[in-house]
Amino acid sequence: MRKTKKQKEPKTSIVAVVWHDAHDDGSATWVEREQIDPDPYMVISVGILLPADTKPDHVSVARSIADVYLDHILHIPTGMVQSVTVLGCLEDFSAQE
């Protein structure tokens, strides 16, 4: 009988997600069209990247993880995501216990 290699658990990435947020102009009164800032509202969110199938068409990150529990999950629509940069691996931190 042939031995099969045990599948390694996939690494859990810690990421920085740069994305364009929906926003208002912050005006408390009427404005002229020329007064509208054409630049996107850029946001950088850092967290634990969740599997792609967590929420379809979204990049999902959690702020904290403890065993199987997640905290403060942010779901960013993929159309708003500009980049995802891997900062490290969660398992590397867990190994320091």
Side-chain angles (χ1 to χ4, degrees), residues 7-37:
Q7 290 284 351
K8 288 186 176 181
E9 286 289 318
K11 298 278 186 179
T12 305
S13 297
I14 299 170
V15 297
V17 182
V18 177
W19 56 287
H20 291 176
D21 197 3
H23 64 285
D24 68 25
D25 274 329
S27 56
T29 184
W30 290 91
V31 296
E32 293 182 25
R33 190 176 306 230
E34 296 79 32
Q35 294 174 292
I36 298 172
D37 182 359

Side-chain angles (χ1 to χ4, degrees), residues 25-85:
D25 274 329
S27 56
T29 184
W30 290 91
V31 296
E32 293 182 25
R33 190 176 306 230
E34 296 79 32
Q35 294 174 292
I36 298 172
D37 182 359
D39 295 329
Y41 191 79
M42 297 291 292
V43 178
I44 302 172
S45 298
V46 176
I48 301 158
L49 183 64
L50 301 181
D53 63 353
T54 299
K55 185 170 183 141
D57 302 318
H58 288 74
V59 172
S60 298
V61 293
R63 183 178 73 180
S64 303
I65 187 169
D67 193 26
V68 297
Y69 302 101
L70 303 169
D71 182 35
H72 288 83
I73 301 166
L74 178 62
H75 303 287
I76 307 164
T78 53
M80 298 173 117
V81 174
Q82 301 303 298
S83 67
V84 178
T85 303

